[in-house]
Amino acid sequence: MSLLSSSLASFRRPLYLWNLMIRDSTNNGFFTQTLNIYSSMAHSGVHGNNLTYPLLLKACANLASIQHGIVLHGHVLKLGFQADAFVQTGLVDMYSKCSRVESARLVFDEMPQRSVVSWNAMVSAYTRVSSMDQAFSLLKEMWVLGFEPTASTFVSILSGYSNLDTFKFRLQGVSIHGCLIKLGIVHTEVSLANSLMAMYAQFCAMDEARKVFDLMDEKSIISWTTMIGGYVKIGRAAEAFGLFNKMQRQSVGIDFVVFLNLISGCIQVGELLLASSVHSLVLKCGCDEVDSVENLIITLYAKCGNLTFARRIFDLIIEKSMLSWTSMIAGYAHSGHPSEALDLFRRMVKTDIRPNGATLATVLSACADLGSLSTGQEIEEYVFISGLESDQQVQTSLIHMYSKCGNIKKAREVFEKVTDKDLTVWTSMINSYAIHGMGNEAITLFHKMTTEEGIIPDAIVYTSVLLACSHSGLVEDGLKYFKSMQQDFRIAPTVEHCTCLIDLLGRVGQLNLALDAIQGMPLAVQAQAWGSLLSACRIHGNVELGELATVKLLETSPGSSGSYVLMSNLYTSLGKWKEAHMMRNLIDGKGLVKECGWSQVEVSGSHDALAAGN
């Protein structure tokens, strides 16, 4: 050996220096660099030890690199570190974060000695894939074997409920809360209390979440955000804003997540003054340039009916993202301006931004509202060009578009091509049959969905079923489904359900039965139901009941001209010209304005709107 080679060999870097480099790289988040350092170390002939491999496995876990992880597992076995608790725990964590739960469990089961950290890693592996029954079972086993769970154990389990909302899992969550109270750690560990509140928020149990929040010794920004977001989720925007005011009084720092929740609350309320106040606060705190906040503000102003402000914010965005375009297009589409939505979409496709499924679904909805079959077919061609023909959101909108444009056959063709149909797809097709008066087809499809496919219906699909029964005069079926949704699925009737029921009874002349049904409804629902009954009275010429319905409507909506017009039309249909004229005079005398009826026609690709006057 030459003198130079001998000198280089004597200066070979020792293992502890390699470990220091690997540790610093991993702790600083340079995970790819960590693996490169290990590669250099291996090529230099230095083998790792029980301090090296946990760090390397952590790097693989954060990179979700199963290939490197398997190679390292092989090195661990070759060097005989498979009995080391730290190395084994690192392997469990690595396999878990690489979505290989079965492999994680095999390593865990072979561990000769387990620590609380090992148990936590395996529990976390199950919760990461929402296998809550296994996680819960492991928690009980851990406790029986004398390993007392830590706050980290419970944080892992509670985080697993983030995408679950069944009653069974809620009971599990409540029992975990009981364990935490028994251990006396629920209010002293901020991260644990936050996870508990998030779990209750997921199950819409905000009163329980508030109890946890109020008893916390210390609150973080996440604590406040979780509660505000939870209130917004269940439609209690007023309480969300009340909590935000309290948060400001306590000088808690505000981040963009708080504003996302507040803006969502404003969208629910739909008040322009409140929207402007929140927007001002966003500007003051410098969160207005956050992409998600900007897009939500566009949606907010559109929801509040101020499309001018929405468009102004959109135009001020220098680098518009796909979400920015989609927000503004949706703002037009959902505010009754389908032509403007389509014009903006045409501008979008001329840029470098490519629309996603949500964008195209919104544009198809605009085509449906416009009743433009030719434009809808153009968009469908674009869907195929973009490779989004299998996107269920797009497929659902195509079904809706074709049915609204009068082509129920094409709507069914699209429906049949959908694989793994979810509830939304089934609902769209059932609703399509409903609006075309094909009640039997709608009921047959609903029966197939619930019995053959085992899909649990929700309130929205029941609205479509009741609408189908109403438009087809299927009284017995309608009454059966109205009872079934309450008794079999515990779905409380909404305003839409009740108006469909009254419309159904009214269409077949069961006016007294419709009256009994209305009087048994909550007061908040009755207002719209009386309108359906008044329309039925006009069809069947029942003046006495029509007058009662008019009185009730004027009590709840005195500023609406629609009730006067309906009653006037009823009088006119029966030749009671004097009474009809009196009703028309009342509209003028009260300064009410009768809304015009609108029709749209498509001629040579252009759309013209026609207004019907008084």
Side-chain angles (χ1 to χ4, degrees), residues 347-365:
R347 272 189 57 193
M348 177 185 179
V349 296
K350 292 177 182 178
T351 69
D352 295 332
I353 303 295
R354 297 275 72 84
N356 64 1
T359 316
L360 292 169
T362 304
V363 173
L364 286 166
S365 175

Side-chain angles (χ1 to χ4, degrees), residues 197 209-216 219 223-224 227 243:
M197 288 188 297
R210 186 59 185 261
K211 290 174 186 176
V212 177
F213 178 82
D214 289 338
L215 290 171
M216 287 177 70
K219 299 177 179 69
S223 312
W224 293 91
M227 287 300 301
L243 203 60

Side-chain angles (χ1 to χ4, degrees), residues 494-516:
T494 63
V495 172
E496 290 77 17
H497 296 140
C498 294
T499 52
C500 280
L501 179 66
I502 301 306
D503 187 57
L504 167 63
L505 295 171
R507 282 173 184 259
V508 296
Q510 298 281 356
L511 301 183
N512 290 326
L513 190 57
L515 177 62
D516 292 340

Side-chain angles (χ1 to χ4, degrees), residues 432-441 468 471-472:
S432 297
Y433 281 136
I435 61 179
H436 279 261
M438 302 169 70
N440 289 321
E441 290 83 351
H471 284 190
S472 302

Side-chain angles (χ1 to χ4, degrees), residues 266 269-276 300 304:
C266 285
V269 176
E271 289 184 4
L272 185 58
L273 182 60
L274 184 61
S276 301
L300 169 61
C304 293

Side-chain angles (χ1 to χ4, degrees), residues 440-507:
N440 289 321
E441 290 83 351
I443 289 172
T444 300
L445 199 62
F446 177 76
H447 187 263
K448 182 179 179 181
M449 181 192 86
T450 52
T451 56
E452 296 181 25
E453 301 298 328
I455 295 176
I456 298 173
D458 64 359
I460 297 172
V461 74
Y462 263 110
T463 301
S464 296
V465 171
L466 291 171
L467 183 67
C469 293
S470 173
H471 284 190
S472 302
L474 303 173
V475 179
E476 291 184 6
D477 289 304
L479 292 172
K480 180 185 75 174
Y481 287 118
F482 190 78
K483 293 177 182 176
S484 169
M485 73 174 189
Q486 299 173 70
Q487 295 175 357
D488 299 336
F489 299 101
R490 297 179 181 178
I491 298 173
T494 63
V495 172
E496 290 77 17
H497 296 140
C498 294
T499 52
C500 280
L501 179 66
I502 301 306
D503 187 57
L504 167 63
L505 295 171
R507 282 173 184 259

Side-chain angles (χ1 to χ4, degrees), residues 3 36 76 97 102 138 190 197 203 223 241 245 252 294 315 321 326 337 389 434 456 460 480 483 507 585:
L3 182 63
N36 290 334
V76 165
K97 290 178 179 173
E102 296 83 2
L138 204 64
V190 176
M197 288 188 297
F203 295 128
S223 312
F241 281 101
N245 291 333
V252 179
E294 281 182 323
D315 289 337
S321 67
T326 303
H337 294 78
E389 65 274 10
I456 298 173
I460 297 172
K480 180 185 75 174
K483 293 177 182 176
R507 282 173 184 259
N585 286 339

Side-chain angles (χ1 to χ4, degrees), residues 109-127:
D109 288 341
E110 292 173 0
M111 291 179 71
Q113 289 185 324
R114 298 171 186 155
S115 65
V116 171
V117 178
S118 309
W119 286 92
N120 286 352
M122 195 61 234
V123 168
S124 181
Y126 281 128
T127 59

